[in-house]
Amino acid sequence: MGAASAQTVRIGNQGDALSMDPHSLNESLQLSVTGNIYEPLVTRDKDLKLVPALATSWQQTSPTVWRFELRRGVQFHDGKPFTADDVIFSIARAAGEGSDMRSYTNDVKDVRKLGDHVVEIETKTPFPILPDVFSFLYIMSKQWSEENQATRPVDRRKGIENAASFRANGTGPYRLRERQPNVKTSFVRNGNYWGTIEGNVINVEYTPIGNDATRVAALLSGQVDVIEPVPVQDVARVNASGKAKVLQGPELRWIFLGMDQKRDELLYSSVKGKNPFKDKRVRQAFYQAIDIDGIQRTVMRGASTPAALLIGPGTNGYDASIDKRLPHDVEAARKLLAEAGYPSGFEVTMNCPNDRYVNDSNICQAVAANLARIGVKINLQAETKGTYFPKILRRDTSFYLLGWSPSTYDAHNVLNAIIHCVDDKGAGQFNLGSYCNPKVDELTLKIQSETDQARRNAMIKEAYALHSEDVGHLPLHQQALAWGVSNNVRLVQRADNQMPFRYMSVK
């Protein structure tokens, strides 16, 4: 091990994980980072196949009951044993106040301990995809959380922090060694890990590097070994450098725009006394004003696939026959706005991150320019995700950009988290504009419990067709993955953009 101590991988990402609390933010980057420290009951392998993690097996003992056999002999990083009590505690914590993971637990009715290493999870209705849903619900130590006053999740909306923000105690293959938010986070291999760590990396240093040029320069100069993402304009240069290569592939992430459809008056708009986004004609005008092919060509440089749905290929239930965008038509958009009572357009603020998705702020600038052609003046507010996410998650927005990767790789995930009417149980938790169609919700509930795949797919198709007909959101595109990797590093790139350290090796 002494000789291997030099085996360090330095990662430069455009943004930072906002907390070490695994229940504080349901964001892919956050879950990717904390997923090296914490583990779920069921996880995904390199090929995204569902495999055992802290549960060795699971079975549906009745239509509404799942039984999980827990792995024995597992220790948290502080040496305390992992038991059923930690599972019960973690599910309750993820379902509780301040949690950003409530959409994962909103259909759980009860969790019961049948022994130190057996739990039963009862759902409100039949839920055949529960193991898929739980693949990103990480388990924390009940005792550690109680001892460190961290029994409730960090609430990013309210700026509330606790010990779990900066410290961590999981069962995963790497331990948190040092946390400096927005500066550097260091990890070290867990020598007592219960499973197999395929790679040889001992230390991982994770550094946020927001500036694209600086991030690429750091890779090519050898200051870091891996960067994510590689700006689309720099892919050829990195590949030609002889020092690094770009790993590219489709990502299971869709970028879309959302609009406040609930308030009677928008928070940030020149329109007073009413909400233009409640009118489908306005939403459709915005949709048809956006030149998505132009964005693909000039902003994304081909590294995107225009989309008409919030899911696509690679997601269970996807149907290409309804993935057809409305035509880009400026004149039709102007006519729709005029019919809705806005012949001269109006002014509205658009919220956008500048360090989360590929070319996110540039996409927003292009959308703003497109909408200007129909008389809509966009006041663009682009900011770091550290302030962006708390703002939009409070629904303190009128018009926003968001990306989403379905953690279950299933169409139900988006229906439940993004499209479902907002309720107090966690459904619609990321439906930040409060789109609502009770018929879609009714279908979502049926989809959740349906075991016949043909019937289930038919209902998925109907639900997404209804959402498209409503113009509930404005879909933009599926973005592509682009990781820059030094020639001496080997790793695994998954379509969900997770980056498990356990697969990394240094030559």
Side-chain angles (χ1 to χ4, degrees):
M1 187 68 81
S5 63
Q7 289 164 339
T8 297
V9 165
R10 299 156 301 171
I11 301 170
N13 195 289
Q14 69 176 352
D16 197 7
L18 299 186
S19 170
M20 293 295 100
D21 188 325
H23 304 148
S24 65
L25 185 64
N26 185 17
E27 181 219 11
S28 293
L29 176 62
Q30 174 99 4
L31 295 172
S32 177
V33 172
T34 56
N36 291 290
I37 306 168
Y38 293 99
E39 296 178 292
L41 297 178
V42 184
T43 192
R44 301 274 175 182
D45 64 11
K46 299 176 190 176
D47 302 313
L48 301 182
K49 178 185 174 185
L50 212 58
V51 294
L54 291 178
T56 55
S57 64
W58 51 93
Q59 61 175 324
Q60 204 167 3
T61 57
S62 79
T64 59
V65 176
W66 283 88
R67 179 175 297 173
F68 289 83
E69 298 284 339
L70 305 182
R71 193 174 297 279
R72 298 170 184 270
V74 176
Q75 292 183 347
F76 285 96
H77 295 160
D78 64 358
K80 295 183 177 69
F82 157 70
T83 70
D85 292 330
D86 302 304
V87 175
I88 294 169
F89 164 78
S90 297
I91 294 173
R93 188 180 190 271
E97 184 181 344
S99 170
D100 209 38
M101 307 298 286
R102 295 180 70 199
S103 63
Y104 290 65
T105 63
N106 62 303
D107 288 293
V108 172
K109 181 179 180 182
D110 191 26
V111 185
R112 296 183 287 269
K113 176 180 176 180
L114 302 186
D116 282 346
H117 294 91
V118 185
V119 295
E120 266 189 357
I121 299 175
E122 183 179 355
T123 56
K124 297 170 186 173
T125 59
F127 201 3
I129 61 169
L130 180 72
D132 299 83
V133 171
F134 271 28
S135 62
F136 278 107
L137 200 154
Y138 298 146
I139 304 303
M140 297 181 70
S141 164
K142 178 177 186 288
Q143 185 176 342
W144 182 89
S145 299
E146 291 171 344
E147 290 173 351
N148 289 277
Q149 293 77 52
T151 55
R152 287 186 178 182
V154 170
D155 192 339
R156 298 300 308 180
R157 295 162 182 79
K158 299 178 181 177
I160 297 172
E161 306 282 4
N162 62 37
S165 301
F166 311 104
R167 289 185 278 149
N169 180 41
T171 59
Y174 285 80
R175 302 169 183 251
L176 177 66
R177 184 168 61 187
E178 183 181 15
R179 169 68 172 163
Q180 298 180 54
N182 298 312
V183 179
K184 185 172 72 172
T185 303
S186 301
F187 306 84
V188 63
R189 189 182 180 110
N190 176 16
N192 293 322
Y193 185 53
W194 60 265
T196 300
I197 301 176
E198 294 185 21
N200 65 5
V201 171
I202 305 300
N203 302 295
V204 177
E205 295 178 358
Y206 181 98
T207 304
I209 307 174
N211 182 273
D212 286 348
T214 304
R215 193 164 62 252
V216 172
L219 175 68
L220 298 184
S221 67
Q223 290 179 286
V224 298
D225 306 295
V226 179
I227 64 169
E228 197 274 319
V230 177
V232 291
Q233 65 270 19
D234 291 311
V235 169
R237 183 160 70 96
V238 172
N239 281 332
S241 70
K243 300 176 181 178
K245 58 187 175 299
V246 179
L247 295 184
Q248 292 179 286
E251 182 180 2
L252 290 176
R253 181 181 308 283
W254 281 263
I255 307 298
F256 61 91
L257 300 168
M259 303 143 289
D260 178 359
Q261 299 171 52
K262 181 178 182 179
R263 291 181 175 90
D264 292 329
E265 180 179 298
L266 291 178
L267 291 177
Y268 306 105
S269 170
S270 61
V271 179
K272 302 304 175 188
K274 58 181 177 177
N275 180 348
F277 289 138
K278 285 189 173 186
D279 192 322
K280 175 189 167 181
R281 292 171 296 186
V282 173
R283 301 194 299 270
Q284 185 171 332
F286 273 48
Y287 187 135
Q288 292 198 254
I290 296 171
D291 180 5
I292 196 63
D293 292 329
I295 290 174
Q296 180 196 39
R297 185 175 60 254
T298 60
V299 178
M300 301 303 292
R301 301 199 183 197
S304 65
T305 304
L309 304 174
L310 302 189
I311 57 170
T315 305
N316 294 331
Y318 168 73
D319 189 324
S321 70
I322 58 171
D323 191 5
K324 301 184 187 305
R325 287 185 62 87
L326 292 172
H328 169 53
D329 189 330
V330 175
E331 288 307 315
R334 287 185 182 133
K335 183 178 179 183
L336 284 165
L337 268 189
E339 290 173 358
Y342 307 98
S344 302
F346 57 90
E347 188 173 328
V348 66
T349 295
M350 179 182 187
N351 298 104
C352 186
N354 59 19
D355 58 0
R356 177 58 191 99
Y357 311 113
V358 178
N359 289 339
D360 40 19
S361 61
N362 292 334
I363 293 168
C364 291
Q365 289 169 15
V367 168
N370 289 164
L371 293 174
R373 298 184 64 193
I374 62 169
V376 174
K377 180 184 178 185
I378 294 295
N379 297 316
L380 181 57
Q381 183 176 335
E383 58 192 305
T384 177
K385 69 174 192 168
T387 54
Y388 175 76
F389 279 126
K391 179 180 178 64
I392 66 165
L393 290 174
R394 292 193 304 268
R395 292 176 166 77
D396 183 18
T397 181
S398 296
F399 187 37
Y400 62 91
L401 178 136
L402 193 64
W404 191 262
S405 178
S407 58
T408 60
Y409 315 104
D410 189 273
H412 172 269
N413 172 268
V414 176
L415 289 169
N416 182 55
I418 300 287
I419 296 175
H420 197 290
C421 301
V422 180
D423 67 20
D424 60 359
K425 305 297 184 184
Q429 188 173 12
F430 300 93
N431 181 0
L432 306 180
S434 297
Y435 162 79
C436 189
N437 183 329
K439 175 62 176 174
V440 175
D441 289 1
E442 181 184 330
L443 286 164
T444 300
L445 192 61
K446 291 178 179 178
I447 289 163
Q448 177 177 297
S449 58
E450 182 57 65
T451 55
D452 183 278
Q453 199 60 51
R455 285 200 296 266
R456 188 174 192 269
N457 286 343
M459 289 189 289
I460 289 171
K461 180 178 181 179
E462 183 181 355
Y464 279 92
L466 285 169
H467 177 255
S468 294
E469 175 62 26
D470 290 340
V471 195
H473 295 79
L474 308 184
L476 295 178
H477 58 239
Q478 178 186 10
Q479 69 179 30
L481 290 172
W483 297 358
V485 183
S486 296
N487 290 339
N488 66 326
V489 172
R490 296 288 178 270
L491 48 70
V492 172
Q493 184 181 67
R494 298 188 344 188
D496 59 0
N497 205 20
Q498 299 292 298
M499 192 181 285
F501 302 160
R502 63 189 295 179
Y503 299 135
M504 291 183 175
S505 289
V506 179
K507 289 197 295 184

